[in-house]
Amino acid sequence: MDLKALRMFVDLAKSLHFAKTAELHHVSPSTLSRIIQRLEHEVGSSLLHRDNRTVVLSEAGKQYGKFAEQQLEQWQILQLSLNQKQAELQGKLHIYCSVTAAYSHLPPLLERFRQQHPLVEIMLTTGDAADALEQVEKQAVDFAIAARPEQLSRIFNFHHLAEIPLSVIAPTMICQVQQQLQQAFLWSEIPIILPEHGPARKRFELWFRKKQQGKANIYATVSGHEALVSMVALGCGVGIVPQVVVENSPVKERVDYLTNVGEIEPFELGVCCLNQSKDQPLIKAFFESIK
Amino acid sequence: MDLKALRMFVDLAKSLHFAKTAELHHVSPSTLSRIIQRLEHEVGSSLLHRDNRTVVLSEAGKQYGKFAEQQLEQWQILQLSLNQKQAELQGKLHIYCSVTAAYSHLPPLLERFRQQHPLVEIMLTTGDAADALEQVEKQAVDFAIAARPEQLSRIFNFHHLAEIPLSVIAPTMICQVQQQLQQAFLWSEIPIILPEHGPARKRFELWFRKKQQGKANIYATVSGHEALVSMVALGCGVGIVPQVVVENSPVKERVDYLTNVGEIEPFELGVCCLNQSKDQPLIKAFFESIK
DNA sequence: TGTAGTGTTGCTAAAAACGCAATATAAAAT
DNA sequence: ATTTTATATTGCGTTTTTAGCAACACTACA
């Protein structure tokens, strides 16, 4: 009986609709169904009568709903009371990250921080992941969600978040590139699309050198992984990007992963700030909230 | 943040002692430590100051303690209110099980039932596991926690609970049996202690026949697995018993498991009642609460 | 009778939790 | 001052739990 389950139940009791409630909470309907089953088992009686088409609250369900709301309210009160001290902290916090990271990795980090420091204003700048460290260095932002380069200058403080696997992607559509890949081919003949700079480019160079097939046929260089996926989807060539960028891309149906093309070392994604500023109250509080 | 964690925190806040609290709740100290860490992470501040030797509540911890007690109280209120209808159910319920099952398997079953039907009086009879079905058949009890025999009469209703592995145990102490086992030996020479009857005896006969070493040298037959462990511990011979009996035995330090002695088919442990009585309200309610 | 909408269940893969054993540290004892 | 004891935490392998997909079962409605 955790808070998430209670929230879901409260919402479900309002909407009386599993699918919608599940979507609202970013879980699959089956998960929600099982969560409710767990609750029912815990209290020892069924909370909802469902006849496979409609859902209504049982008497126990109504009581449970009130209970759940009370519990959640008390939790909120506790939060408020505990955060009063921390709430003194206020100001602006500038964050830089890629569009993709903003979707995939930032939300859970910010959620806790915002809860603990509601008065702090978050300013989010999105852009090419490769520019992240530069932004931090020139103090345009307080910190960035960034991939760790092989050589990380001493001036930075880096906190590990996750490993980001890279993949080689190719267009799904019928085009010249597609046909080349179908046949026997030399990598030096395949047009390749690359990031202008940054760790992803480094990864590519390392990977291509291993193939020992001469010079790469670079079709274009772009800034920003998101744009790179689009280029590939349009059939311009193949590219290397983080899988998570593809998953969140609106054109993900139009690219395929190439398998058996050799290992590509994954990114190490993390939160990066200047060492000199890591003791500033806001930045310190942020690192505190994510560790 | 589930109820168990809250209960543990409340107790810990009183005792200020991890090891004792952990034991009280039947978990290892490390588990408790991690549970508290989880709570602290959830609220975003430390609840206890510990300097590796002493534990004191932090300010946040005090507030959290109050919160936890409130939450638990509301849960109790909910329980009470939901159980009012079911509480109409009252009477006596006679249960039979072995001493060991009373420790190891019964508590979790009864806990839910008692919560849901507080007015029902539980009458527990412990005894030799092998007598369980007999007790049910002659209606001395309402149901029993029992091992399923190969042939289960149609008059019984059986609900599976768990697989109980059997083991061959021998005395740890230096004695004749011990020495025999150390050397090359024939199984027909080793003194063996057996249950008088019941599934465990059947298992033994099956197992011994596989060895094809003639007739077993049966030193003694006893009724009740618990007594059997004692006999083995005293050095009278080797025996076959459920592992769980050994684990709960006060003399478990004085017996060893024999390995590489062949497979013994495990018990199927379950709840067993008469088919004719499975629709009685109390018995039905019990099965409901454990399924 | 077919079709779309809805909740549940079987199954497998991933994640979380557990407990043991080792570790760290501080108080108490020698 | 050094050893012993008491206590909480951490590393790690194992077990248990949970999530989500896909298939299913059922119902309303066209």
Side-chain angles (χ1 to χ4, degrees), chain B residues 14-75:
Chain B
K14 282 181 194 142
S15 72
L16 296 177
H17 195 294
F18 275 76
K20 285 176 193 162
T21 308
E23 192 175 9
L24 194 63
H25 289 262
H26 309 108
V27 297
S28 71
S30 65
T31 297
L32 178 61
S33 173
R34 287 216 173 67
I35 285 174
I36 301 299
Q37 284 170 18
R38 275 202 285 282
L39 292 183
E40 290 181 321
H41 191 253
E42 270 179 0
V43 299
S45 48
S46 49
L47 303 172
L48 302 156
H49 293 306
R50 36 256 217 235
D51 59 350
N52 250 331
R53 192 80 177 82
T54 49
V55 177
V56 287
L57 278 174
S58 71
E59 193 47 47
K62 285 176 196 161
Q63 292 193 36
Y64 194 84
K66 290 190 118 181
F67 160 78
E69 282 173 357
Q70 283 182 346
Q71 296 262 298
L72 291 172
E73 191 187 326
Q74 286 185 350
W75 171 255

Side-chain angles (χ1 to χ4, degrees), chain A residues 43-55:
Chain A
V43 300
S45 49
S46 48
L47 303 173
L48 302 157
H49 294 305
R50 37 269 220 219
D51 60 351
N52 252 329
R53 194 80 181 86
T54 49
V55 177

